[in-house]
Structure formats: structure tokens, C-alpha cells
Amino acid sequence: MKLVEVLIITAIVGIFILFIVYSIIKTRKNSSRIVLKIEEASAEIDIHLNRGVELLEDTTKYITEEDYIEDFHKINFKVMGSDEIYQIIKKYNTILKNKILENEDLNKNSDFFKVADSFRETISYIDGSVKYYSFNVEEYKNIFNRFPAKFVKIFCGYRDFVDFKEEKMGKL
């Protein structure tokens, strides 16, 4: 082999190695930024879901119908995932709307309306957090759809995130 051929092969291998190192650094930088956003959104979802459950518990002080209270207390939120809790919160939001329409005493109770308004506000926060989470999960997936990034994901142990879809979360 001639010296020129060795230098050309070495240059090609060097460029390839530089390309791989650059891809790893770029992928790590982009993905770590988005992972933080995903984890932040996930924490927000959990906080607001817990707040929603607390507010539902507060509604049992005002809605004294036994079937409402019994059904609520049968639910074991501790063993449920976020999507199941979200479904139940959405279901109880509809139930609360109907109870308000049916019961004149609830219509006159300002304390109950404060709880109901806080509950609706919490649902809005959950919906917003789910959208933010889903957007960032899509961005994360897009990072790893390119050629070198797929290998970086495999060899560097990046994980997949659960994809919350509002359509899936809202059906009970």
C-alpha cells in the first residue's frame, strides 16, 4: 500500500469517527433538554391528578347521595395509572355537572361551587399538561428517527416514553 492510500483511508475513518462523535454529542444535548420537559410535564400531570382526586373527595361533603359516595369510595386510586385516574376524573366531571343541574341546594351552596370551580380548573391544567407532554414525546421520538441517532439510542440506553393520547385517556 502506498502512503497516500493509507492517508486517505485514515482520513475517511477519522471523518467517520468525528461524525459519530458529533452525532452522539448533538443527540445527547437535544434529547436531555426534551427529557427534562417530558419529566416536568409528567410531574405536573401527577400533581394535578392528585389535586383532582382530593377535590372529588371534597365533593362528597356536599353531595350526600349514598350511591355517589359509595361509588367514589370503592375506587382505589393508589393502584391506578395516570390514564385511569384521568378517565375517572373526566367521568366525575360529567356527573358533577348533572348533579348541579338536578339539585337546587347545590346551586345555592357557594362552598360547593368553589370546589366545583377548582375541580374544573384542575381538569384544564391536566389537559394542558397532557398536551405539553405529548408534544415533547413527539419531539423526542423525532430526534431518534434519523440514522445516527437510532444507533445512539440503542447503544446509550435511551428509553421510550408512554405516549398519552387524549383520545385514549378520555374513554372509560
Side-chain angles (χ1 to χ4, degrees), residues 1-37:
M1 261 186 153
K2 296 180 185 176
L3 181 60
V4 174
E5 291 173 344
V6 171
L7 288 175
I8 292 174
I9 292 172
T10 304
I12 292 171
V13 169
I15 290 171
F16 181 74
I17 290 172
L18 283 174
F19 176 72
I20 297 297
V21 169
Y22 172 77
S23 295
I24 291 171
I25 291 169
K26 183 179 175 188
T27 302
R28 285 182 154 240
K29 179 183 173 191
N30 290 340
S31 63
S32 63
R33 179 179 49 85
I34 291 180
V35 166
L36 287 174
K37 290 180 179 182

Side-chain angles (χ1 to χ4, degrees), residues 61-74:
K61 297 174 188 171
Y62 304 101
I63 300 175
T64 56
E65 297 168 15
E66 285 186 36
D67 60 335
Y68 179 86
I69 294 171
E70 277 183 31
D71 288 345
F72 179 76
H73 288 295
K74 286 179 185 176

Side-chain angles (χ1 to χ4, degrees), residues 13-166:
V13 169
I15 290 171
F16 181 74
I17 290 172
L18 283 174
F19 176 72
I20 297 297
V21 169
Y22 172 77
S23 295
I24 291 171
I25 291 169
K26 183 179 175 188
T27 302
R28 285 182 154 240
K29 179 183 173 191
N30 290 340
S31 63
S32 63
R33 179 179 49 85
I34 291 180
V35 166
L36 287 174
K37 290 180 179 182
I38 292 170
E39 289 172 350
E40 175 185 293
S42 180
E44 285 292 314
I45 291 169
D46 288 342
I47 288 168
H48 294 302
L49 286 175
N50 288 333
R51 176 74 176 135
V53 170
E54 290 170 4
L55 290 168
L56 279 177
E57 180 73 38
D58 290 346
T59 64
T60 61
K61 297 174 188 171
Y62 304 101
I63 300 175
T64 56
E65 297 168 15
E66 285 186 36
D67 60 335
Y68 179 86
I69 294 171
E70 277 183 31
D71 288 345
F72 179 76
H73 288 295
K74 286 179 185 176
I75 301 169
N76 187 358
F77 290 102
K78 293 179 182 173
V79 297
M80 292 182 172
S82 296
D83 56 339
E84 294 170 304
I85 294 172
Y86 181 79
Q87 292 170 10
I88 289 171
I89 285 175
K90 285 289 209 179
K91 176 183 175 186
Y92 270 87
N93 186 43
T94 303
I95 292 170
L96 284 175
K97 287 177 186 176
N98 291 335
K99 296 286 182 193
I100 290 170
L101 293 173
E102 295 169 359
N103 190 327
E104 286 186 33
D105 292 335
L106 286 177
N107 286 322
K108 297 174 186 174
N109 190 327
S110 64
D111 291 335
F112 172 74
F113 267 99
K114 287 178 187 174
V115 172
D117 285 342
S118 292
F119 185 67
R120 282 190 294 275
E121 184 178 295
T122 299
I123 290 173
S124 295
Y125 286 131
I126 294 168
D127 291 341
S129 296
V130 167
K131 287 178 184 174
Y132 184 69
Y133 176 94
S134 296
F135 173 79
N136 284 297
V137 167
E138 285 301 315
E139 288 292 312
Y140 180 81
K141 288 178 180 178
N142 289 337
I143 288 173
F144 292 108
N145 279 344
R146 296 177 206 102
F147 161 68
K150 287 182 181 183
F151 292 110
V152 171
K153 182 179 181 182
I154 292 168
F155 293 116
C156 293
Y158 285 94
R159 66 179 193 220
D160 288 325
F161 288 95
V162 175
D163 196 13
F164 282 123
K165 293 289 184 192
E166 275 189 80

